[in-house]
């Protein structure tokens, strides 16, 4: 009889080992299921958390984009009466002329739109009513705020000049006042006065200083005459104006020019405080950017923890399974299994379990992500990298968690293993 | 078939070296059917483990089927167990979650036979031990006697030089014991070398020769039962 040298002792091929692993996993369904459950929850959580986190991030980004990243809002400054701040926009420090001069002289300004604002105003149609913000403005408002009518049209220059009682509804106001019928051409009442609806704005979502969808737009001249009690545009105090630039990086320059111009017009010299406030959208974005990056770090940490938990679960069950299967290992060794045959069987079992578990986890994670995006109405973002990372990590953890138990299984003395109960 | 000279085995027990086998000389001829008897603690289990290549002697020479096993490493011993020795255990030691067929196929997996050949050979051997109608039953669906016959089929399947049975009837009742012993006698008649380890004289007397082990040595009064 010839004895093969140690290096050439027969070990089952990879396919054989794979088959044995599958057989063994199938005949121990509970153990296999529990191991996989750890992986499914781990990977599923990683994908879900990453997806929800990125979805929320994208949702915030979209809202900021919809506000326009190239818009300055200039509001009349807070006046102090007896030391009590009256709130931004309540003082009559900005006039229609200020807005007009800014439009003419600030070279960085692409478009300027003056507005008057009255909050908490009741608007009535038929038997329905709602409380909303009335914005009296000019034709540039659409361009500056990048918001356009979805139905009908914005009011015209003629309607503005003639101070006609026409109104454009924000989408939310339309939904609250009108159920099925087309609102265009119907009359609503604002503080007892009739206004004809000429347009309905597209929805932009809440965000920024005010909810653009929860507003009613009327001509600045009409608002000035009816609601504030001033007939002509010239000389009227405005709540503020909005200004847009061609590009985001021109915003700081525009802010500088606007500040200087208004200080000059209002005779303000440092250290005197400005009587106006400028809200810069870019500053808002950078603040939100910081919050979002913190959020992302947190999300990643949570995902990491859930993976570690899944990995510990696998390691645990693998370790227990070696103890439970000591006798099986003894039998296999007595029948001629080499150390490497036992080692590869256990390793392949670990890899197969974690790969299948990881795969189910990916499907599960995608499913939950889709559900979450529908439930939270955030965009569905499932990135390939979280899936690849999840699968790679699950197999990696499977191998790591399998190596130590597999080694101790392979080292078992067949006599000792056979005697175990 | 088996040649053993001055085999010793010591176990370390803390600081102490406890001698279990103290110089066994033993030889078993090809085709012989022997029983190894001894009280518990006599060293017969250790001797069986060394004969079965499950354990190594501390010193001495052991030649099985012409091969000197003294210098072989673990993997080579695994190969010898796989190719030369068929084990039959008291507790059957079948894989409980696998079918009779899968259990009998297992030694051939480690022997490197292709699947189709494994299945054919395992089926053939199971028919031979009278379990042709139980191929797909798991051990829990078989009686003790049937389980031991699966184990014997598993021991036979790689055409071993030696079948080593450790208390093969220890877990069986009178009737099934006789069935299993009948099967072993049949195999002996076909020329297979068989060694059974037992403490039951009734069982031992069905072999051709009894080897008595006592206090780590083979007694000289071992006698032939057939002339």
């Amino acid at each position: 009889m010839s004895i093969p040298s140690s290096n050439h002792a027969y070990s089952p091929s990879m396919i054989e080992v794979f088959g044995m692993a599958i057989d063994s996993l199938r005949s121990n369904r509970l153990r296999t299921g529990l191991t996989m459950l750890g992986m499914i929850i781990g990977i599923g959580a990683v994908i879900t958390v990453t997806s929800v986190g990125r979805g929320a991030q994208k949702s915030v980004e979209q809202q900021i984009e919809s506000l326009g990243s190239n818009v300055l809002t200039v509001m009349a400054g807070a006046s102090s009466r007896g030391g009590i701040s009256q709130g931004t926009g309540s003082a009559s420090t900005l006039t229609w002329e200020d807005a007009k001069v800014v439009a003419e002289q600030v070279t960085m300004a692409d478009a300027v739109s003056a507005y008057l604002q009255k909050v908490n105003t009741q608007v009535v149609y038929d038997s329905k009513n709602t409380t909303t913000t009335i914005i009296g403005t000019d034709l540039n408002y659409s361009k500056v705020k990048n918001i356009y009518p979805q139905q009908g049209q914005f009011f015209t220059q003629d309607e503005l000049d003639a101070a006609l009682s026409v109104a454009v509804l924000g989408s939310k106001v339309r939904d609250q006042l009108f159920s099925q019928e087309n609102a265009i051409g119907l009359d609503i009442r604002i503080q007892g006065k009739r206004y004809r609806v000429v347009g309905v704005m597209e929805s932009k979502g809440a965000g920024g200083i005010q909810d653009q969808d929860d507003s009613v737009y009327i001509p600045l001249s009409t608002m000035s005459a009816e609601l504030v009690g001033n007939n002509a545009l010239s000389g009227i105090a405005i709540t503020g104006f909005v200004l847009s630039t061609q590009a985001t990086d021109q915003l700081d320059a525009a802010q500088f020019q606007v500040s200087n111009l208004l200080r000059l017009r209002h005779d303000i010299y440092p250290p005197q405080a400005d009587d106006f406030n400028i809200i810069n959208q870019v500053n808002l974005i950078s603040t939100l950017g910081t919050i979002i990056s913190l959020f992302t770090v947190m999300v990643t940490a949570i995902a990491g923890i859930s993976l570690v938990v899944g990995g510990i679960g696998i390691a645990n069950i693998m370790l227990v399974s070696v103890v439970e299967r000591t006798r099986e290992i003894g039998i296999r060794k007595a029948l001629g299994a080499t150390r490497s045959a036992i080692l590869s069987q256990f390793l392949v079992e670990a890899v197969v379990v974690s790969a299948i578990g990881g795969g189910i986890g990916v499907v599960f994670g995608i499913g939950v992500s889709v559900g979450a995006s529908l439930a939270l109405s955030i965009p569905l973002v499932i990135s390939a990298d979280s899936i690849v990372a999840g699968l790679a990590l699950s197999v990696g953890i499977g191998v790591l968690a399998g190596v130590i138990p597999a080694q101790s299984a392979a080292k078992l003395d067949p006599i000792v293993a056979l005697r175990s109960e | 078939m088996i040649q053993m000279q001055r085999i010793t085995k010591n176990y370390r027990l803390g600081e102490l070296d406890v001698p279990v086998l103290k110089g066994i000389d033993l030889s078993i001829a090809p085709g012989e059917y022997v029983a190894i008897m001894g009280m518990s603690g006599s060293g017969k289990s250790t001797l069986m483990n060394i004969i079965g290549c499950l354990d190594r002697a501390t010193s001495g020479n052991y030649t099985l089927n012409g091969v000197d096993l003294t210098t072989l490493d673990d993997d080579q011993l695994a190969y010898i167990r796989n190719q030369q020795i068929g084990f039959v255990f008291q507790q059957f030691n079948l894989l409980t979650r696998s079918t009779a067929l899968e259990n009998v196929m297992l030694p051939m997996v480690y022997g490197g036979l292709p699947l189709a050949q494994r299945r054919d050979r395992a089926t053939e051997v199971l028919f031979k031990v009278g379990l042709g109608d139980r191929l797909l039953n798991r051990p829990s669906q078989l009686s003790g006697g049937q389980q031991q016959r699966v184990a014997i089929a598993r021991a036979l399947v790689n055409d071993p030089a030696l079948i080593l049975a450790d208390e093969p009837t220890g877990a069986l009742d009178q009737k099934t014991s006789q069935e299993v012993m009948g099967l072993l006698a049949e195999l002996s008649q076909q020329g297979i070398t068989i060694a059974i380890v037992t403490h039951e004289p009734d069982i031992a007397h069905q072999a051709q020769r009894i080897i008595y082990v006592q206090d780590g040595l083979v007694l000289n009064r071992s006698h032939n039962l057939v002339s």
Side-chain angles (χ1 to χ4, degrees), chain A residues 27 59 62 71 76 157 190 203 205 210 228 232 243 247 251 291 354 392 416:
Chain A
S27 56
S59 163
Q62 280 175 351
V71 175
Q157 188 65 46
I190 303 172
S203 173
Q210 105 217 10
V228 187
L243 174 153
L251 211 56
I291 295 169
S354 43
V416 176

Side-chain angles (χ1 to χ4, degrees), chain A residues 14 129 143 176 236 273 319 364 403:
Chain A
M14 234 26 225
N129 70 80
K143 186 178 180 190
Q176 271 155 2
I236 64 162
L319 215 56
F364 172 70
V403 162

Side-chain angles (χ1 to χ4, degrees), chain A residues 67-301:
Chain A
L67 295 175
S69 57
N70 55 342
V71 175
L72 284 182
T73 305
V74 184
M75 299 174 95
S79 65
S80 279
R81 280 189 207 145
I84 299 163
S85 172
Q86 300 297 303
T88 303
S90 63
S92 309
T93 52
L94 285 178
T95 62
W96 186 72
E97 274 74 21
D98 283 330
K100 210 176 151 191
V101 170
V102 165
E104 283 160 4
Q105 297 190 6
V106 172
T107 52
M108 288 293 174
D110 183 40
V112 176
S113 171
Y115 69 93
L116 265 168
Q117 179 176 306
K118 194 163 162 60
V119 296
N120 296 332
T121 308
Q122 202 181 45
V123 179
V124 183
Y125 170 74
D126 204 12
S127 59
K128 292 179 187 162
N129 70 80
T130 183
T131 300
T132 184
T133 302
I134 311 295
I135 293 172
T137 186
D138 52 39
L139 301 187
N140 276 341
Y141 195 86
S142 263
K143 186 178 180 190
V144 175
K145 293 288 243 182
N146 191 28
I147 178 170
Y148 295 95
Q150 191 183 37
Q151 288 175 283
Q153 56 184 32
F154 211 67
F155 48 79
T156 62
Q157 188 65 46
D158 288 346
E159 286 164 336
L160 178 67
D161 289 345
L164 293 184
S165 298
V166 291
V168 179
L169 306 183
S171 60
K172 221 176 254 180
V173 176
R174 195 220 86 93
D175 292 344
Q176 271 155 2
L177 289 184
F178 301 92
S179 40
Q180 299 297 326
E181 63 265 52
N182 186 354
I184 309 293
L186 298 176
D187 283 352
I188 57 166
R189 285 174 178 277
I190 303 172
Q191 293 197 333
K193 186 173 161 50
R194 281 174 183 279
Y195 286 80
R196 174 143 304 165
V197 177
V198 294
V200 175
M201 286 298 207
E202 62 188 324
S203 173
K204 282 283 192 177
I209 305 149
Q210 105 217 10
D211 187 350
Q212 300 190 74
D213 294 343
D214 191 10
S215 300
V216 173
Y217 305 93
I218 63 174
L220 180 63
S221 50
T222 315
M223 180 127 171
S224 167
E226 295 297 330
L227 301 179
V228 187
N230 197 336
N231 273 322
L233 279 180
S234 61
I236 64 162
I238 56 174
T239 311
F241 58 87
V242 285
L243 174 153
S244 65
T245 57
Q246 287 281 3
T248 304
D249 56 12
Q250 296 173 333
L251 211 56
D252 285 341
Q255 182 172 0
F256 181 73
Q257 290 181 347
V258 170
S259 297
N260 282 342
L261 184 59
L262 288 180
R263 281 175 194 152
L264 206 63
R265 285 176 57 80
H266 295 184
D267 286 328
I268 295 169
Y269 301 99
Q272 253 182 293
D274 290 343
D275 60 355
F276 56 90
N277 276 303
I278 300 182
I279 295 163
N280 184 332
Q281 210 73 266
V282 170
N283 294 343
L284 201 61
I285 289 169
S286 74
T287 309
L288 281 171
T290 313
I291 295 169
I292 287 169
S293 61
L294 271 175
F295 190 67
T296 311
V297 168
M298 195 186 75
V299 159
T300 314

Side-chain angles (χ1 to χ4, degrees), chain A residues 32-48 307 310-311 314 349-367 386-398:
Chain A
T32 307
L34 283 174
T35 316
M36 281 186 183
L37 196 62
M39 223 60 247
I40 291 169
I41 292 174
I43 304 299
V46 169
I47 290 177
T48 306
L307 255 191
I314 286 196
E349 278 185 31
V351 171
V352 168
V353 162
S354 43
I356 295 175
I360 298 173
V362 165
V363 174
F364 172 70
I366 290 174
S386 73
I387 292 174
V388 170
L391 273 178
L393 274 169
S394 68
V395 175
I397 289 173

Side-chain angles (χ1 to χ4, degrees), chain A residues 4-7 9, chain B residues 56 69-79:
Chain A
S5 77
S6 172
N7 295 340
Chain B
R56 283 168 210 276
L69 303 180
T70 322
T71 55
L72 299 188
D73 67 18
D74 283 357
D75 283 357
Q76 289 169 323
L77 285 182
Y79 180 81

Side-chain angles (χ1 to χ4, degrees), chain A residues 1-7 9-12 16 20 23-24 27-29 31 324 327-328 330-342 345 413-415 418-419 421, chain B residues 11 45 49 54-55 64-65 67 72-76 78-84 87 89 91 93-95 97 102-103 106-115 118 138 154:
Chain A
M1 184 185 70
S2 70
I3 305 295
S5 77
S6 172
N7 295 340
Y10 182 78
S11 261
E16 293 276 6
M20 274 196 281
D23 283 347
S24 164
S27 56
N28 295 282
R29 290 208 171 84
R31 191 180 68 213
E324 183 202 54
R327 199 183 179 84
E328 176 196 330
I331 295 170
R332 287 178 184 274
K333 283 201 142 183
L335 298 182
T338 57
R339 190 175 283 205
S340 66
I342 299 285
Q345 183 194 341
D413 185 340
I415 303 167
L418 275 172
R419 270 195 211 122
E421 284 306 317
Chain B
Y11 283 113
S45 291
N49 288 337
L54 290 167
D55 203 354
L64 172 68
N65 206 10
V67 179
L72 299 188
D73 67 18
D74 283 357
D75 283 357
Q76 289 169 323
Y79 180 81
I80 296 287
R81 288 199 296 271
N82 184 255
Q83 296 291 315
Q84 302 285 315
F87 290 94
F89 301 97
Q91 296 300 333
N93 277 340
L94 300 173
L95 296 186
R97 292 189 164 98
E102 286 165 342
N103 267 291
L106 196 57
M108 293 184 283
V109 170
Y110 296 114
L113 269 77
L115 178 65
R118 293 203 300 255
R138 291 175 204 284
R154 184 179 65 184

Side-chain angles (χ1 to χ4, degrees), chain B residues 185-212:
Chain B
E186 222 174 280
L187 295 173
S188 172
Q189 275 159 23
Q190 291 165 20
I192 297 172
T193 315
I194 299 174
I196 65 172
V197 176
T198 182
H199 66 272
E200 292 174 67
D202 289 2
I203 297 297
H205 279 83
Q206 300 184 33
Q208 296 164 353
R209 178 160 68 106
I210 299 179
I211 298 165
Y212 293 98

Side-chain angles (χ1 to χ4, degrees), chain B residues 1-224:
Chain B
M1 176 63 51
I2 288 177
Q3 235 95 62
M4 281 185 158
Q5 280 131 26
R6 297 177 306 281
I7 290 284
T8 68
K9 178 71 185 177
N10 297 348
Y11 283 113
R12 275 206 88 81
L13 216 82
E15 294 285 294
L16 292 171
D17 252 352
V18 180
V20 179
L21 299 182
K22 298 167 180 169
I24 299 263
D25 289 313
L26 182 69
S27 99
I28 298 172
E32 210 181 350
Y33 183 2
V34 303
I36 299 172
M37 282 198 79
M39 315 235 289
S40 65
S42 62
K44 70 177 191 304
S45 291
T46 305
L47 178 59
M48 195 215 82
N49 288 337
I50 291 173
I51 294 174
C53 296
L54 290 167
D55 203 354
R56 283 168 210 276
T58 307
S59 70
N61 286 320
Y62 174 21
T63 311
L64 172 68
N65 206 10
V67 179
D68 182 6
L69 303 180
T70 322
T71 55
L72 299 188
D73 67 18
D74 283 357
D75 283 357
Q76 289 169 323
L77 285 182
Y79 180 81
I80 296 287
R81 288 199 296 271
N82 184 255
Q83 296 291 315
Q84 302 285 315
I85 300 167
F87 290 94
V88 178
F89 301 97
Q90 181 177 3
Q91 296 300 333
F92 321 137
N93 277 340
L94 300 173
L95 296 186
T96 52
R97 292 189 164 98
S98 302
T99 62
L101 188 65
E102 286 165 342
N103 267 291
V104 176
M105 280 160 62
L106 196 57
M108 293 184 283
V109 170
Y110 296 114
L113 269 77
L115 178 65
Q117 218 172 312
R118 293 203 300 255
R119 196 181 290 130
D120 291 350
R121 173 74 181 138
T123 308
E124 179 195 328
V125 179
L126 277 166
F127 268 97
K128 200 168 160 187
V129 299
L131 288 174
D133 55 345
R134 292 282 187 272
L135 297 181
L136 299 179
N137 288 49
R138 291 175 204 284
S140 57
Q141 299 161 326
L142 297 172
S143 71
Q146 287 171 327
Q147 288 186 55
Q148 196 58 301
R149 277 191 276 163
V150 173
I152 291 171
R154 184 179 65 184
L156 280 174
V157 82
N158 269 354
D159 285 326
L162 170 72
I163 285 192
L164 196 54
D166 182 13
E167 304 276 8
T169 59
L172 302 175
D173 60 34
Q174 191 75 34
K175 187 169 164 282
T176 42
S177 287
Q178 280 318 310
E179 282 174 24
V180 166
M181 289 311 290
L183 187 54
L184 287 177
E186 222 174 280
L187 295 173
S188 172
Q189 275 159 23
Q190 291 165 20
I192 297 172
T193 315
I194 299 174
I196 65 172
V197 176
T198 182
H199 66 272
E200 292 174 67
D202 289 2
I203 297 297
H205 279 83
Q206 300 184 33
Q208 296 164 353
R209 178 160 68 106
I210 299 179
I211 298 165
Y212 293 98
V213 180
Q214 191 179 318
D215 202 16
L217 289 167
V218 172
L219 293 188
N220 279 328
R221 70 178 173 98
S222 59
H223 59 281
N224 279 320

